[in-house]
Amino acid sequence: MKSQLLFTIFTVLFLWSCKTNPEQTSVTTADYPISGIPFSQVQINDNFWLPKIETNRTATIPASFQKCEETGRLENFLIAGGKMEGTVRGDMPFDDTDVYKIIEGAAYSMTTIPDAKLDAYVDSLIEIIAIGQEEDGYLTTWKTIDPTHSPAEWCPPGERWEGLAWSHELYNAGHMFEAAAAHYIATGKTNFLDIATKNADLLVKVFGAEGNYQVPGHQIVETGLIKLYLITDKKEYLDLARHFLDTRGDSTKREIWGPYNQDHQPVIEQEEAVGHAVRAAYMYAGMTDIAALYNDAAYKNAVNKIWDNVVTKKMYITGGIGALHQGEAFGENYELPNLTAYNETCAAIANVYWNYRMFLLYGDSKYIDVLERSLYNGVISGVALNGKEFFYPNPLSCDMHYHFNREHLDRQTWFDCSCCPTNLCRFMPSVPGYIYAQKDDNLYVNLFVQSSTKLEMEGNEVEIAQDTKYPWDGDIKISVSPKKKTTFSVKVRIPGWSVNTPVPGDLYSYKEKTGTKPVIEINGEQVAYSLENGYAILNREWNNEDQIKLTLPMEVRKVKANDLVEDDRGKIALERGPIVYCVEEIDNPAIENLSVSENTSFSSNFQADLLAGVELIKAEGPEKEEQFTAIPYYTWNNRGANKMDVWLTEK
């Protein structure tokens, strides 16, 4: 079977059964050792993720489409195609991608919930996109409309492919490829796919030509090309993706741009995460794809070193990455300010994409630990509970003076640069695809979400289902139901936070170790289990409706940062399960004075009528400053702009 590396986003099994050119000779490549179970084959019915995904479908996606109409993003395609007159609408050279990303999210939603009205609307948008495409396949509307006038001051004008460091032509293409692939999977139609492959063929002709060593300014075309390769079997798409990466940072072939674009040295020689965090994480995801598809040791070595650098020196406790507003970039090692933290929502999403690929490559739970931390904290903090207001950056402190959110203190319905809202549109429907995975006779349970799916193990159909109130409750019941008795292994992830390791490495640690260990029962009897790469290995002959019960400790934990993180020195953060907490002024009028000591005690209780239902933490202590209420970080600023802190003074 061909590579299934993109299970994070859509059903690759379906990709291979629906090739556009089945007569074409297949290409032999390596593969990811592990296959994810695609989101389209996982049914969730929990009270945490299902409402968020439904809000994305019914609120975020329609509101974002409306914003694209209001701001002229659709008109740009019509002007480029000569159907309207005028100048470029909008302020960014990548405004085209907002339309693509929302279509991608709509396609994912239609994969699980058919919607004839939405399907027809998306088809009408694809017709508009086609109008903006030039005869040879070129498609970046602002350059077609008037290459002598750039929509943004920081992006120099120029003809095709001039100023690639800033023009975003290849970034536009990458998002189009990803959206077209998703639409094809959802509908079986080729109307958008034809636009994408026509553009990809042009890229192959131009950038695959001998002696052309130009590379994208903003990475993502690499993973987009790989998705088209998976559909079409056109190896030239895969080759071009690798060519872009192989050429990047090579000063012997071209004038390089420097660290901001991760273009300071060849990618296989890079060991530290630098520059623009979203560009970087998209690139690291693409590098991991190449490491897997080519079984390339140099690429594996590079992504391993970069991952270690990010997780042990440059990641926030929320799983956010990219500390600096200047350049939307990674800071120096251990440079993790709180008030001025950037933590772009897109970067947290990219961090999930990258870590899932690392899991598929290595099968180690530490990658899912990072993914889960980003998912439950750094990603969903970016969208309001109503699905219509957003954070671009996600700071860990707010003093009501520093305007962090694109010069605002509260969530916004849209931005001149709206990459984050539209990225959430496409990301949220894919969450069920991170829950389960498979390798031969091994079934992985990665995330704990009330859900079910069916798969084949040893030639036998097996249904697996979870019953849980996670992340608020640590009891997870897993039902394993093969059609006939079958021997295989169920690998249940034991989260690092449940065994005293909040993150891999020593960037963050718990103030006190807990002696409560995760407990596993099978059919009511407690069992001893061995750990392998962070998974409890449960190998046995499984019968219909066998029951696994995993009990995780859900104590409130005090977290401290490595002393090299200056902003967090002498401070404590609070976690419960996978959720990072914060304090808001609306609950704690004396927020500036709050503190935690060894005498502070904590309790928690679920409040169904607060913030769409959350577990609150109540702190009690001998001093007034130790008496406060904490809420999940991802819910802050949903009751209006007010002061907030994740890190509290330790007395």
Side-chain angles (χ1 to χ4, degrees), residues 245-246 248-252 262 264-273 283-284 287 297-303 305-306:
L245 289 167
D246 284 347
R248 196 172 205 88
D250 187 349
S251 61
T252 67
Q262 297 77 44
H264 54 299
Q265 62 185 140
V267 298
I268 59 172
E269 296 176 13
Q270 295 184 27
E271 299 181 359
E272 180 180 355
M283 185 181 86
Y284 304 151
M287 289 172 64
Y299 271 84
K300 288 180 182 178
N301 181 59
V303 293
K305 288 182 177 180
I306 296 169

Side-chain angles (χ1 to χ4, degrees), residues 369-618:
D369 284 347
V370 175
L371 182 155
E372 181 183 65
R373 182 166 292 274
S374 298
L375 186 62
Y376 279 90
N377 303 290
V379 172
I380 57 176
S381 60
V383 58
L385 298 174
N386 64 16
K388 295 182 179 181
E389 297 167 333
F390 307 93
F391 280 155
Y392 196 110
N394 293 270
L396 276 72
S397 179
C398 175
D399 64 0
M400 291 301 291
H401 294 291
Y402 180 72
H403 291 66
F404 62 91
N405 191 30
R406 307 292 279 188
E407 309 309 319
H408 296 277
L409 285 166
D410 55 357
R411 297 175 183 272
Q412 297 294 298
T413 58
W414 198 246
F415 304 98
D416 55 353
C417 171
S418 272
C419 55
C420 294
T422 54
N423 226 354
L424 285 160
C425 287
R426 75 182 186 125
F427 177 81
M428 293 300 289
S430 71
V431 169
Y434 301 107
I435 301 173
Y436 305 104
Q438 180 180 9
K439 179 184 179 184
D440 302 326
D441 62 347
N442 297 288
L443 169 61
Y444 292 84
V445 180
N446 283 325
L447 298 180
F448 307 117
V449 180
Q450 188 157 294
S451 60
S452 62
T453 190
K454 293 180 180 179
L455 64 156
E456 280 205 1
M457 301 293 294
E458 298 295 303
N460 183 27
E461 184 179 87
V462 177
E463 181 175 0
I464 186 164
Q466 293 187 56
D467 182 7
T468 182
K469 294 180 181 177
Y470 192 90
W472 312 126
D473 191 297
D475 290 341
I476 299 106
K477 298 175 183 177
I478 304 170
S479 173
V480 184
S481 301
K483 275 195 172 180
K484 59 183 180 181
K485 293 182 181 180
T486 312
T487 299
F488 57 90
S489 291
V490 177
K491 293 189 171 185
V492 180
R493 173 174 153 261
I494 304 299
W497 60 258
S498 71
V499 289
N500 295 311
T501 307
V503 296
D506 64 354
L507 185 55
Y508 302 105
S509 60
Y510 292 127
K511 184 72 176 176
E512 296 98 12
K513 304 293 184 184
T514 179
T516 306
K517 296 182 179 179
V519 173
I520 293 180
E521 300 174 13
I522 298 181
N523 297 330
E525 294 186 10
Q526 186 172 334
V527 297
Y529 57 88
S530 59
L531 281 177
E532 180 182 294
N533 292 329
Y535 290 90
I537 311 300
L538 307 177
N539 182 269
R540 68 196 301 268
E541 184 179 64
W542 296 95
N543 298 298
N544 190 44
E545 295 187 357
D546 276 345
Q547 299 290 324
I548 302 168
K549 182 180 179 183
L550 171 65
T551 304
L552 299 172
M554 299 294 282
E555 308 159 19
V556 177
R557 309 296 300 276
K558 293 188 287 187
V559 185
K560 62 179 182 178
N562 189 300
D563 282 342
L564 294 173
V565 182
E566 183 177 353
D567 261 33
D568 299 340
R569 208 173 291 150
K571 294 182 179 180
I572 291 292
L574 301 177
E575 289 185 356
R576 184 180 181 276
I579 303 294
V580 174
Y581 279 73
C582 70
V583 292
E584 269 195 302
E585 186 180 25
I586 192 170
D587 302 310
N588 308 283
I591 188 171
E592 293 93 345
N593 301 321
L594 300 183
S595 63
V596 175
S597 76
E598 61 182 11
N599 298 315
T600 310
S601 61
F602 303 96
S603 61
S604 67
N605 65 298
F606 188 76
Q607 297 287 320
D609 58 348
L610 179 67
L611 296 168
V614 293
E615 192 86 11
L616 286 185
I617 290 177
K618 290 286 187 179

Side-chain angles (χ1 to χ4, degrees), residues 92-220:
M92 298 293 160
F94 45 84
D95 281 346
D96 296 355
T97 66
D98 291 326
V99 181
Y100 303 150
K101 285 186 283 185
I102 309 168
I103 290 176
E104 186 177 350
Y108 295 154
S109 292
M110 289 190 290
T111 303
T112 52
I113 303 178
D115 186 329
K117 184 177 179 181
L118 180 60
D119 188 17
Y121 178 73
V122 168
D123 276 345
S124 71
L125 298 183
I126 293 170
E127 290 181 12
I128 291 173
I129 292 168
I131 289 171
Q133 185 169 37
E134 297 190 33
E135 186 64 30
D136 64 353
Y138 183 83
L139 184 50
T140 285
T141 58
W142 78 268
K143 287 242 176 180
T144 299
I145 293 170
D146 182 4
T148 67
H149 173 72
S150 170
E153 291 182 1
W154 48 264
C155 176
E159 298 298 326
R160 283 188 190 183
W161 321 125
E162 289 184 13
L164 276 179
W166 303 105
S167 71
H168 286 77
E169 291 161 275
L170 295 174
Y171 175 77
N172 292 344
H175 273 301
M176 177 175 59
F177 298 163
E178 300 212 343
H183 181 259
Y184 173 62
I185 299 311
T187 67
K189 302 174 186 177
T190 63
N191 50 343
F192 200 5
L193 186 66
D194 290 342
I195 295 171
T197 54
K198 188 176 181 181
N199 183 258
D201 290 341
L202 174 66
L203 299 191
V204 169
K205 181 179 178 181
V206 172
F207 296 97
E210 185 175 351
N212 190 333
Y213 298 114
Q214 297 183 84
V215 300
H218 193 313
Q219 302 90 318
I220 202 173

Side-chain angles (χ1 to χ4, degrees), residues 5-52:
L5 67 154
L6 299 171
F7 271 122
T8 54
I9 305 180
F10 53 76
T11 308
V12 178
L13 286 173
F14 189 76
L15 279 173
W16 292 114
S17 66
C18 301
K19 295 174 186 175
T20 56
N21 187 359
E23 301 300 321
Q24 192 166 355
T25 304
S26 292
V27 179
T28 301
T29 60
D31 200 355
Y32 276 98
I34 299 171
S35 302
I37 306 303
F39 76 89
S40 58
Q41 294 179 16
V42 178
Q43 295 74 47
I44 67 171
N45 61 340
D46 75 327
N47 290 322
F48 189 88
W49 285 110
L50 185 58
K52 290 175 174 54

